[in-house]
Amino acid sequence: MSYTESIGSRTYRFADLKTLMAKASPQRSGDQLAGVAAASEEERVAAKMSLAQVPLRTFLNEALIPYESDEVTRLVIDGHSPQAFAEIAHLTVGDFRNWLLSSTTDADALTRIAAGLTPEMVAAVSKLMRNQDLIAAARKRPVITRFRNTVGLPGRMSVRLQPNHPTDDVKGIAASMLDGLMYGCGDAMIGINPASDNLAAITKLLVMIDEFRQRYQVPTQSCVLTHVTNTIAAIEKGAPVDLVFQSIAGTEKANAGFGISLALLQEAYEAGLSLKRGTVGNNLMYFETGQGSALSADAHFGVDQQTCEVRAYAVARKFNPFLVNTVVGFIGPEYLYDGKQITRAGLEDHFCGKLLGVPMGCDICYTNHAEADQDDMDNLLTLLGVAGINFIMGIPGADDVMLNYQSTSFHDALYVRDVLGLRRAPEFEEWLESMQITDARGALLSASPQQPLLEGARDWMGIA
């Protein structure tokens, strides 16, 4: 089906829904690289005007990537709930935007319709929204998950403590971990990107974190971000695996490039569940995504990069994840050119994920060859804090010495919690107070050698 829209004396024609969606997207370098972006701002406006008139039902009948050739499309269509969709089935994309922003649409309403939404519907409505619209609507939709603590409660924001090391040195990782905990970070998880995929090295890191967690009774969860097949092997060998990690994308071909399928993710999910390591819940999958991943694998099929990204959230939703992290500026300026594009993408990703019922966090980051700096990250951090982000990254000095990119620091988490009044996960907050790291309000106490964590941890970790 083709679409047309006139502006003045000029008429724009869009060959199909996939083309219309791409042309309606805000400007970004990845869509320009793929040759699917609007040629002018006028064409972009025409596409948005036309998209606003598309009935939501159309997305159930016009697949952007064919059902027969893509298992993600099949997952979306086969899993769609007509009952949940019924409440909004009469709306166009433009009407849906107005419904989302209405003062009468609350968290209960957004929860009711989640199973009736496809990623394409959600991506479409995001293209009609200003940044403030994305923030206002996402803020209405908390997504709460549980493993050893509770993440995503309104008024709270968690931090993934990321103590990476370029050689996987256990002592160096332990030092960064201790540093982050003393700043009150780590309630989302303690997650290490290993420099090596060696199973023995991965297991060594898992054991180190788990021994520390048990010794100090830390109510958090650990993860070593290796390929899911390595995690399955580690589970089979009895390693203390909490969260199961995998990078995912929004098309079957892109996921194949990651060496995964839906069946493999199901196997990993069931392996993680079999360990029964959660204490307050059993959400245990940790997924990372990023706009541009499908294009970089030549697996986007002419679909714009933001819509491909939202399709990845449908994959995540299937496995009841504990955390989903859009690593928003990591892939580089070829896909998100500057601070403005990174900011917009971060807000889109958070909004779209939350609308689908996914527990969204964000690695607020950029690479050194992007037209962005830490001020841009400060802005996005603040906006996402207002929008109700579930978690952010906590990296020593905001500079990851293993992955070589810029993110957010332990101090950045203190800043956004302070200015927005955000608390930590409740179980973790109680532990911090018991360890004399924070007071009852969550504010940091001055460091002292008598603090229980410092008193014994340095000797135990072998840190002078």
Side-chain angles (χ1 to χ4, degrees):
M1 177 179 176
S2 62
Y3 302 84
T4 61
E5 188 65 42
S6 297
I7 296 181
S9 60
R10 179 171 294 182
T11 297
Y12 290 91
R13 292 179 174 82
F14 308 99
D16 51 27
L17 187 57
K18 174 170 60 178
T19 302
L20 180 64
M21 293 270 283
K23 301 291 187 182
S25 295
Q27 183 178 12
R28 62 204 57 201
S29 52
D31 289 339
Q32 293 170 322
L33 179 66
V36 302
S40 66
E41 285 302 317
E42 184 174 278
E43 184 182 26
R44 183 171 289 111
V45 169
K48 289 186 178 188
M49 292 169 63
S50 183
L51 182 60
Q53 301 170 53
V54 174
L56 290 179
R57 289 187 180 277
T58 302
F59 294 94
L60 299 174
N61 302 317
E62 189 174 343
L64 305 191
I65 301 174
Y67 180 95
E68 297 76 15
S69 60
D70 187 272
E71 68 173 1
V72 177
T73 301
R74 293 194 291 274
L75 172 70
V76 169
I77 299 301
D78 294 349
H80 180 260
S81 169
Q83 293 77 22
F85 183 59
E87 186 170 347
I88 55 169
H90 61 290
L91 300 178
T92 65
V93 176
D95 294 332
F96 186 38
R97 172 189 175 273
N98 295 337
W99 183 86
L100 289 169
L101 296 173
S102 170
S103 60
T104 60
T105 300
D106 57 12
D108 289 341
L110 294 176
T111 301
R112 282 197 309 272
I113 68 164
L117 296 174
T118 70
E120 290 82 2
M121 292 176 193
V122 173
V125 76
S126 76
K127 298 177 191 300
L128 306 184
M129 301 176 87
R130 292 169 55 187
N131 286 2
Q132 68 173 245
D133 299 336
L134 298 172
I135 293 167
R139 187 176 175 84
K140 297 181 182 184
R141 178 57 164 109
V143 179
I144 301 164
T145 56
R146 297 175 174 87
F147 189 75
R148 287 200 191 92
N149 58 24
T150 306
V151 171
L153 292 166
R156 296 180 184 268
M157 184 200 73
S158 298
V159 176
R160 170 190 160 186
L161 174 49
Q162 184 171 308
N164 293 344
H165 192 279
T167 64
D168 289 340
D169 179 75
V170 173
K171 186 180 292 187
I173 289 170
S176 293
M177 184 174 71
L178 181 60
D179 187 28
L181 289 168
M182 292 303 297
Y183 278 102
C185 294
D187 50 341
M189 69 165 173
I190 300 170
I192 301 167
N193 298 86
S196 166
D197 274 336
N198 177 276
L199 187 57
I202 291 164
T203 301
K204 186 176 182 180
L205 295 176
L206 286 168
V207 169
M208 183 272 289
I209 300 174
D210 199 59
E211 287 180 352
F212 176 84
R213 180 190 63 79
Q214 291 192 59
R215 177 168 177 155
Y216 291 96
Q217 299 181 316
V218 191
T220 190
Q221 34 285 320
S222 65
C223 185
V224 174
L225 282 67
T226 186
H227 192 271
V228 69
T229 52
N230 289 333
T231 303
I232 292 172
I235 290 172
E236 290 173 347
K237 290 184 177 295
V241 173
D242 288 343
L243 304 185
V244 177
F245 164 78
Q246 183 56 49
S247 293
I248 57 172
T251 72
E252 179 178 348
K253 184 179 177 182
N255 282 326
F258 286 135
I260 61 166
S261 64
L262 296 180
L264 180 59
L265 292 178
Q266 183 68 35
E267 180 184 349
Y269 178 48
E270 292 173 1
L273 286 174
S274 72
L275 300 180
K276 299 180 180 179
R277 291 176 60 84
T279 55
V280 298
N282 60 1
N283 301 112
L284 56 81
M285 299 299 284
Y286 173 54
F287 295 117
E288 287 193 342
T289 67
Q291 288 196 28
S293 60
L295 174 59
S296 68
D298 191 26
H300 63 296
F301 302 98
V303 177
D304 68 272
Q305 70 179 38
Q306 188 246 343
T307 300
C308 283
E309 169 73 2
V310 185
R311 284 169 56 93
Y313 304 154
V315 175
R317 179 170 63 173
K318 166 72 173 174
F319 301 101
N320 303 313
F322 182 64
L323 307 169
V324 176
N325 178 29
T326 169
V327 192
V328 66
F330 184 74
I331 301 181
E334 299 83 0
Y335 306 96
L336 295 170
Y337 180 73
D338 56 15
K340 182 175 183 178
Q341 291 188 16
I342 292 170
T343 297
R344 173 70 190 190
L347 294 175
E348 287 171 347
D349 293 352
H350 177 248
F351 161 80
C352 291
K354 285 290 184 66
L355 218 57
L356 289 172
V358 171
M360 289 302 298
C362 184
D363 191 340
I364 301 162
C365 63
Y366 64 100
T367 57
N368 287 318
H369 63 310
E371 290 294 321
D373 58 28
Q374 212 64 40
D375 285 338
D376 295 307
M377 301 306 102
D378 288 349
N379 294 341
L380 180 54
L381 170 64
T382 307
L383 294 173
L384 286 171
V386 174
I389 194 81
N390 277 33
F391 71 101
I392 63 168
M393 304 298 111
I395 297 172
D399 184 1
D400 193 298
V401 296
M402 196 281 282
L403 293 173
N404 293 311
Y405 77 113
Q406 310 304 310
S407 185
T408 47
S409 71
F410 307 144
H411 300 80
D412 295 330
L414 292 177
Y415 147 75
V416 76
R417 282 176 170 147
D418 181 52
V419 298
L420 298 178
L422 300 172
R423 305 294 292 259
R424 300 169 180 86
E427 301 89 344
F428 192 77
E429 198 163 69
E430 291 175 10
W431 176 80
L432 289 173
E433 186 179 356
S434 73
M435 299 299 285
Q436 302 171 37
I437 295 172
T438 63
D439 63 18
R441 299 174 295 109
L444 287 184
L445 298 171
S446 298
S448 146
Q450 284 72 48
Q451 284 173 314
L453 193 60
L454 285 180
E455 195 169 30
R458 291 182 180 180
D459 291 337
W460 180 75
M461 293 179 179
I463 302 171

